[in-house]
């Protein structure tokens, strides 16, 4: 397995534009997490899914953020409209069977909103 | 909800010395405590974890200790090497909801000086 795959690796967009980040979890993993990493706030959990169902989205900062997992092999995190303060590295991670096992992170997407 | 604190925020040691990073958590029901290492520009990766039924766990030069009564746990790295330089994150499982949630500490930036 190639691990958790995120795309794009880097995204530069103008304020007000829609941004879509993509994630392919490791095959067979039934938990998927979206994290945001900034210098000021560290690693923040935005939302996580179990068996494609959103379980806790209390970390999603605003209504501008939305996440979907239409099937077991794909998830998206969308920001609409984007703002400069959304600039961060966004990580997707997946784990097998339960949360208290190793979470495998993707390479991350570095988002810059100008 | 769960709150994880981590100290120190930065740590510099001479190569060959030991490094200790400490974390405290608030939810006494938490029962899983992983440590992740993130090298510059890379993804976080699990290096060691401990469950609440164990007081100490070792893996070569790294060890983790857990004090459930005091609700703190520590990462110990002995004989540090330059490749140990990274940001280290502790985490605890939040059992507040029916599904577990991983809460990360703010991170410790470790620099090993050759």
């Amino acid at each position: 397995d190639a691990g958790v795959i995120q795309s794009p690796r880097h995204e530069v967009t103008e304020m007000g534009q829609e941004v879509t980040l993509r994630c392919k979890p490791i095959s067979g993993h039934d938990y998927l997490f979206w994290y945001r990493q900034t210098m000021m706030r560290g690693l923040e959990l935005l939302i996580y899914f179990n068996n494609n169902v959103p379980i806790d989205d209390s970390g999603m900062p605003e209504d501008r953020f939305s996440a979907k997992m239409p099937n077991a092999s794909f998830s998206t995190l969308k920001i609409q409209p984007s703002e400069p303060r959304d600039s961060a590295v966004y990580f997707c991670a997946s784990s097998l069977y339960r949360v208290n096992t190793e979470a495998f992170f993707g390479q991350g997407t570095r988002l810059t909103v100008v | 909800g769960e709150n994880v604190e981590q100290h120190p925020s930065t740590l510099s040691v001479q190569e060959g010395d030991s490094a200790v990073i400490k974390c405290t958590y608030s939810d006494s029901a938490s029962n899983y405590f992983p440590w992740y290492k993130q090298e510059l520009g890379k993804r976080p990766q699990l290096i060691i974890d401990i469950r609440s039924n164990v007081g100490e766990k070792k893996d070569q030069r790294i060890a983790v200790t857990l004090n459930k009564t005091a609700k703190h746990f520590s990462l110990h790295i002995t004989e540090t090497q330059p490749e140990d330089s990274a940001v280290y994150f502790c985490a605890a499982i939040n059992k507040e909801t029916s599904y577990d949630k991983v809460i990360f500490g703010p991170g410790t930036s470790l620099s090993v000086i050759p």
Side-chain angles (χ1 to χ4, degrees), chain A residues 6-13 21 89 108-112, chain B residues 41:
Chain A
Q6 290 185 246
S7 64
R9 291 291 309 277
H10 303 274
E11 176 80 31
V12 180
T13 190
L21 311 181
V89 179
T109 295
R110 181 172 295 277
L111 173 65
T112 303

Side-chain angles (χ1 to χ4, degrees), chain B residues 38-77:
Chain B
Q38 185 179 25
E39 297 177 2
L40 187 64
K42 297 190 176 181
R43 74 188 87 186
Q45 292 186 290
L46 181 74
I47 56 171
I48 194 168
D49 56 14
I50 192 167
R51 299 181 188 277
S52 58
N53 58 347
V54 175
E56 183 177 4
K57 184 177 179 180
K58 289 184 179 180
D59 183 2
Q60 300 183 334
R61 296 185 298 106
I62 59 173
V64 58
T65 58
L66 172 64
N67 184 326
K68 282 192 67 180
T69 302
K71 290 189 285 188
H72 66 70
F73 56 110
S74 301
L75 177 71
H76 304 253
I77 306 174

Side-chain angles (χ1 to χ4, degrees), chain A residues 5-6 10-11 19-20 25 29 35 42 47 52 57 61-62 66 68-69 74 76-77 89-90 98 102 105 113-114:
Chain A
I5 300 173
Q6 290 185 246
H10 303 274
E11 176 80 31
V19 176
T20 300
H29 282 193
Y35 288 93
I47 184 172
N52 314 336
D57 65 354
E62 301 171 33
S66 62
K68 295 182 179 179
M69 192 165 185
F74 184 65
T76 59
L77 178 68
V89 179
Y90 291 81
R98 58 184 55 178
E102 180 173 1
F105 283 76
V113 183
V114 298

Side-chain angles (χ1 to χ4, degrees), chain A residues 66-85:
Chain A
S66 62
K68 295 182 179 179
M69 192 165 185
N71 57 62
S73 59
F74 184 65
S75 178
T76 59
L77 178 68
K78 186 176 294 186
I79 308 172
Q80 167 62 18
S82 58
E83 296 183 2
R85 59 196 170 112

Side-chain angles (χ1 to χ4, degrees), chain A residues 9-46:
Chain A
R9 291 291 309 277
H10 303 274
E11 176 80 31
V12 180
T13 190
E14 291 185 349
M15 183 174 61
Q17 296 298 307
E18 177 179 296
V19 176
T20 300
L21 311 181
R22 297 173 176 80
C23 175
K24 181 180 186 305
I26 293 173
S27 177
H29 282 193
D30 52 0
Y31 277 88
L32 183 140
F33 310 86
W34 282 101
Y35 288 93
R36 178 172 68 176
Q37 186 173 36
T38 61
M39 288 293 294
M40 292 298 295
R41 302 174 72 90
L43 265 173
E44 299 176 273
L45 176 64
L46 302 178

Side-chain angles (χ1 to χ4, degrees), chain A residues 4 31 33 35 37 42-43 45 48 50 55-56 58 91 99-103 105-107, chain B residues 31-32 36 38 41-46 51 89 93 97 99-106:
Chain A
V4 177
Y31 277 88
F33 310 86
Y35 288 93
Q37 186 173 36
L43 265 173
L45 176 64
Y48 73 99
N50 175 237
I55 301 302
D56 188 332
S58 59
F91 285 102
V99 170
N100 56 350
T101 57
E102 180 173 1
F105 283 76
Q107 294 277 36
Chain B
N31 66 354
Y32 176 65
Y36 284 78
Q38 185 179 25
K42 297 190 176 181
R43 74 188 87 186
Q45 292 186 290
L46 181 74
R51 299 181 188 277
F89 295 95
I93 300 301
T97 62
Y99 286 89
D100 301 337
K101 179 160 70 174
V102 180
I103 304 297
F104 282 94

